[in-house]
Amino acid sequence: MCNISHLSAQLDLLLTLRELPISMNDLQPLINQKIRMCKQLVDCRSFVTVLEYLLAIGNYLNENAGKEKAKGFRLLSLTKLSQLRGRDKNFTLLHALLEQIMLHEPGLATFTQDLAEFETVPGASIKGLTAEVDVLKNEVQKVIQYRKTIRKRNSGAHHPNFSKDLKMAIEKYNVQLEMLTKTCDEMKKLYSAILVKFGEPPDQDSQELFGMIYQFLHDFRRAHAETV
């Protein structure tokens, strides 16, 4: 083995080639899940209607308190609904929201079913997943650069199959990486659309935002179950 040129570099290369497909296969379902979550949230008209009910309740309270009406509110405030209480400590703003929905539009109380992807706690953030895809891009570029280097040095002269196999591996992983990058770009585009639609800042972390929505849906389902 000591007679193999640049043995250490080749071993590092083989390790990278071994890890690349594993990493890509691990990332793909996570990105696909985020895409499904984004699509559900963008297309969910019932969720928007619930927010409209909540805004109406908030403005009613503001009017009684002598405050100006609000044009909207941050989604991050949704988890506070179960904490805001009136004179009756067992009756929260969340209960008031549910009460109004059951009074005027009872079918809307099952809106959480339209956001099935939010039934489990959201995992990695979109920013984090994007960063991992970028890492994979850098790894592939390192492999490409290494191949160029050994061709210049003619190091593969004694091992022609190694250079040939390396070329095939690069072509294969480039195709997979292009597909992964495409889905990653779709994920980022959909999330940007969510931020615009709900008036959230462009730097809003998806893990925090989706976590808040998950918690709100969980609290709403629990409150609804208590009334049934």
Side-chain angles (χ1 to χ4, degrees):
M1 290 183 67
C2 294
N3 293 328
I4 300 177
S5 302
H6 310 290
L7 175 61
S8 178
Q10 290 196 27
L11 290 176
D12 289 341
L13 178 67
L14 291 174
L15 180 61
T16 298
L17 292 174
R18 178 179 178 274
E19 294 295 331
L20 272 174
I22 297 174
S23 298
M24 285 190 280
N25 289 336
D26 288 344
L27 279 175
Q28 190 66 66
L30 296 176
I31 293 175
N32 288 341
Q33 183 197 30
K34 287 295 182 291
I35 289 175
R36 292 195 301 271
M37 294 175 76
C38 289
K39 285 183 176 180
Q40 281 192 355
L41 200 54
V42 166
D43 297 336
C44 190
R45 175 58 197 169
S46 58
F47 179 62
V48 174
T49 304
V50 169
L51 297 181
E52 290 171 349
Y53 269 96
L54 183 57
L55 181 61
I57 293 172
N59 280 330
Y60 173 79
L61 296 175
N62 283 342
E63 186 177 358
N64 288 341
K67 298 180 180 179
E68 293 184 1
K69 288 186 176 182
K71 295 181 180 180
F73 57 89
R74 294 285 305 279
L75 292 180
L76 297 183
S77 63
L78 289 175
T79 54
K80 298 178 181 178
L81 301 185
S82 59
Q83 302 170 14
L84 298 174
R85 306 173 188 276
R87 294 178 181 177
D88 182 353
K89 300 303 179 182
N90 294 321
F91 192 81
T92 67
L93 189 54
L94 182 64
H95 289 104
L97 172 63
L98 178 60
E99 183 179 74
Q100 289 301 308
I101 288 175
M102 295 300 291
L103 181 64
H104 299 285
E105 209 170 339
L108 187 61
T110 59
F111 83 97
T112 57
Q113 295 176 6
D114 298 331
L115 296 170
E117 289 294 333
F118 288 84
E119 290 182 2
T120 57
V121 180
S125 68
I126 288 176
K127 184 178 180 180
L129 292 173
T130 301
E132 291 192 47
V133 172
D134 288 339
V135 169
L136 292 181
K137 289 180 181 178
N138 290 334
E139 291 298 319
V140 171
Q141 285 304 312
K142 288 179 183 178
V143 174
I144 293 174
Q145 188 58 45
Y146 179 82
R147 182 171 182 270
K148 291 179 179 178
T149 301
I150 63 172
R151 289 180 66 185
K152 288 180 180 180
R153 293 175 179 174
N154 202 27
S155 298
H158 301 296
H159 307 282
N161 289 336
F162 178 78
S163 181
K164 181 180 178 181
D165 291 344
L166 184 56
K167 180 184 178 182
M168 292 176 62
I170 290 173
E171 291 174 350
K172 176 183 177 181
Y173 296 147
N174 256 335
V175 171
Q176 293 180 1
L177 189 57
E178 285 176 6
M179 293 175 62
L180 188 65
T181 300
K182 185 177 180 180
T183 54
C184 185
D185 289 341
E186 180 184 2
M187 171 184 69
K188 291 189 292 182
K189 184 177 180 180
L190 284 168
Y191 183 62
S192 294
I194 287 174
L195 297 181
V196 171
K197 179 174 182 176
F198 294 104
E200 296 292 325
D203 60 345
Q204 173 60 54
D205 179 67
S206 66
Q207 191 172 29
E208 181 183 24
L209 182 63
F210 287 173
M212 293 292 185
I213 294 174
Y214 157 80
Q215 189 60 51
F216 168 64
L217 297 178
H218 173 77
D219 293 343
F220 189 93
R221 280 194 296 265
R222 184 174 60 184
H224 184 229
E226 292 172 355
T227 62
V228 176

